[in-house]
Amino acid sequence: RRELLKVTGSQFLSVLKSGSVSLGLVSFDDRIVMIVAREAATGFLDRNQQDIIDKLKSLVAIYSCSHDLQKHRDAISSTADRVKDLAMEAGLQNVTLLTLDENEAAAAPGHAHGQFVPPCVYGENLDAGEMQPTVLFYAHYDVMPIGDRSDWHSDPLVAELKNVPERGGDRLYGRGTADDKGGLMAILSALRAVSTSCSHLPINVKIIFEGEEEIGSVHLPQYLEKHRDLLAADVLVLADTDNIAFGTPCLTYSLRGCVDMDVDVRVATQSSHSGSFGGPVVDAATCLCRVIATLHDKEGNIAVEGFSEGIRKPTDKELRNIGSIKYDEHKFREECGLLPGVQLAGDPDTHIFSKVWLQPAINVIGIDAADIATCSNRIIPHAKARISCRIAANQDVDHIVSSLQKHLVHHAPFGAHISFPFLDVLKPWVCVPEGPAFAAAEGALRDGFGCAVVYTGCGGTIGFVEPFQRVFGNIPALLLGVEDPYTNAHGENESVLLPDLFRTMRSLVFLLFELADTYKSRRPTVED
């Protein structure tokens, strides 16, 4: 093997186009070729770490925030162009920006006429031939809002490297370093490593990187329908989930759904003097606070009738898996920054991961009332809150929305008028993580991280998975990522642990070869 490693994978793959070949007294079959090619590709990653980090920094520097598409239109377009260049550098062919015309985009719920629709970056390398499987890699290049810059320890658009031993070591801080520009770079770096080190990729590869994931992948179904044939694949690999601990590779098999809904409370047609009318007239902010306080009981359990119906019962295997994960309340509190004395909600005997992965949740994520900086002694006639609900697998989203709205109207205090001007829905997703694709992923991640894979649920929502499988059938979906509990994706001081970022890249390199080996029965034999 030492002698083999003196020869590049490129030379071997160029020679070994069929069967095996003899060199001296030793016969080299496909498995040996795969070992050599893997070594060559991971060696490329090792030699080019700084270049990869610099490329990630260049993406972070472009503020591709999708929460205000018109405001950030130029930055989003610039990011798509930059990603297109990186895809071509990674050895992909026919790299292009997919777009929708106005008529196509108008089919998306909530689309406004003339609204900017971020393009999807597409590329392919089909040199492995039709007898090899085709894998579609997904990531997104848009990011969440920065929020208050004063909450960041460094400039969120200038990625900064810091060594934090208690959080795994070297971490790169900045918006999008992990979610999901880090995941995107992991994919492109792995493809670049293999395409540079070998004569061709061992399997067929396609990519689609979107620019609207952080706002619910609004137009993704339209892209999928329009490009159904172009995007057809045997396996989906999505690099946008997290690991339960740094240094531990995870495959996600379930995602909670998400319902975002605005609750609009009105008590009057105008504001009024709090001295002249205060007392008899209750302000809208008080009514809003009282009605959203009814969503949970005093222990923090959801108190909305019908909201917890239809939850999928976990299998015994799932429960054993969750119970085997060494994870305690202290670690959970530390990772989310919970203050001393603040209690956790819900049944204390239920495992944290069962609560986060398998059960629904309701949170208030925004409130609009009078601004403290400009308020005066007047009764507020109008207040509004945005409620975010996480929906468990198998729950009926329409029933959940109906139950929640009925509850809020029923509990409106003092006859306050309640309406729901905004609603956005993403469905939950779950799969059975079995079969050759999952076996290949297990092996690749084990080799990349040096330890066994943990199968996990995810409390978050990824809008891409469910519509893709709905359009293209129930193909295997491998969900992995570069985030860990200290990443703080969506929050201030987002970061990615660089050792895990490169472990993920190595794993993706190995996955290309593992899938080729797993699906090799599709290839013609010598007799054929």
Side-chain angles (χ1 to χ4, degrees), residues 401-415:
V401 171
S402 176
S403 299
L404 182 59
Q405 291 180 347
K406 288 179 181 178
H407 175 94
L408 292 166
V409 171
H410 177 72
H411 287 84
F414 305 104

Side-chain angles (χ1 to χ4, degrees), residues 97-412:
L97 300 182
L98 306 179
T99 59
L100 298 175
D101 62 32
E102 181 59 36
N103 289 334
E104 294 163 338
H111 175 82
H113 181 75
Q115 174 186 332
F116 170 61
V117 179
C120 287
V121 182
Y122 172 82
E124 63 185 25
N125 187 317
L126 308 180
D127 291 346
E130 62 181 14
M131 296 307 296
Q132 285 291 1
T134 298
V135 176
L136 177 64
F137 286 96
Y138 166 89
H140 64 89
Y141 62 84
D142 63 315
V143 298
M144 291 292 286
I146 288 171
D148 190 342
R149 285 178 179 258
S150 64
D151 291 332
W152 288 75
H153 299 154
S154 57
D155 189 331
L157 300 181
V158 180
E160 181 174 321
L161 180 63
K162 299 179 183 179
N163 183 263
V164 190
E166 66 274 18
R167 297 190 173 187
D170 288 339
R171 305 190 72 96
L172 192 66
Y173 285 81
R175 176 56 85 225
T177 51
D179 184 20
D180 187 33
K181 292 175 179 178
L184 184 153
M185 278 303 304
I187 293 170
L188 292 181
S189 298
L191 294 177
R192 179 185 170 206
V194 178
S195 64
T196 301
S197 305
C198 307
S199 59
H200 60 78
L201 298 180
I203 59 175
N204 299 305
V205 167
K206 299 176 181 179
I207 64 164
I208 181 170
F209 298 155
E210 69 158 319
E212 285 186 306
E213 194 277 338
E214 298 293 9
I215 56 172
S217 300
V218 181
H219 294 90
L220 187 62
Q222 285 66 47
Y223 276 112
L224 297 183
E225 288 291 349
K226 180 178 180 179
H227 300 288
R228 178 189 293 260
D229 294 337
L230 182 69
L231 298 172
D234 301 294
V235 180
L236 168 66
V237 178
L238 185 149
D240 189 27
T241 55
D242 53 7
N243 300 317
I244 59 172
F246 51 76
T248 301
C250 296
L251 283 171
T252 300
Y253 68 91
S254 71
L255 302 168
R256 288 196 293 189
C258 185
V259 172
D260 285 347
M261 183 173 68
D262 284 0
V263 182
D264 191 283
V265 176
R266 294 180 183 271
V267 297
T269 58
Q270 63 184 34
S271 60
S272 54
H273 196 289
S274 62
S276 301
F277 298 96
V281 179
V282 180
D283 63 88
T286 295
C287 292
L288 174 63
C289 291
R290 288 188 60 167
V291 73
I292 61 179
T294 68
L295 296 174
H296 301 86
D297 64 21
K298 63 180 182 179
E299 283 80 29
N301 298 301
I302 294 174
V304 178
E305 184 177 354
F307 196 92
S308 297
E309 293 178 359
I311 298 174
R312 182 182 66 91
K313 183 179 179 180
T315 65
D316 291 341
K317 183 178 180 181
E318 283 180 275
L319 294 176
R320 287 195 301 270
N321 175 59
I322 291 174
S324 69
I325 298 173
K326 296 179 179 179
Y327 195 83
D328 58 26
E329 180 180 321
H330 174 76
K331 187 174 180 62
F332 183 79
R333 296 175 66 91
E334 177 192 4
E335 289 172 353
C336 66
L338 208 61
L339 294 174
V342 177
Q343 300 175 0
L344 297 179
D347 182 1
D349 295 328
T350 301
H351 197 287
I352 286 291
F353 288 146
S354 288
K355 293 179 181 179
V356 176
W357 299 346
L358 307 178
Q359 297 180 5
I362 302 177
N363 290 97
V364 178
I365 60 173
I367 294 180
D368 286 342
D371 183 11
I372 291 177
T374 59
C375 68
S376 59
N377 284 316
R378 63 189 182 93
I379 296 175
I380 302 170
H382 169 232
K384 182 167 63 175
R386 178 158 294 180
I387 295 176
S388 179
C389 307
R390 296 295 178 171
I391 311 302
N394 285 13
Q395 285 194 286
D396 184 330
V397 176
D398 292 336
H399 177 69
I400 295 297
V401 171
S402 176
S403 299
L404 182 59
Q405 291 180 347
K406 288 179 181 178
H407 175 94
L408 292 166
V409 171
H410 177 72
H411 287 84

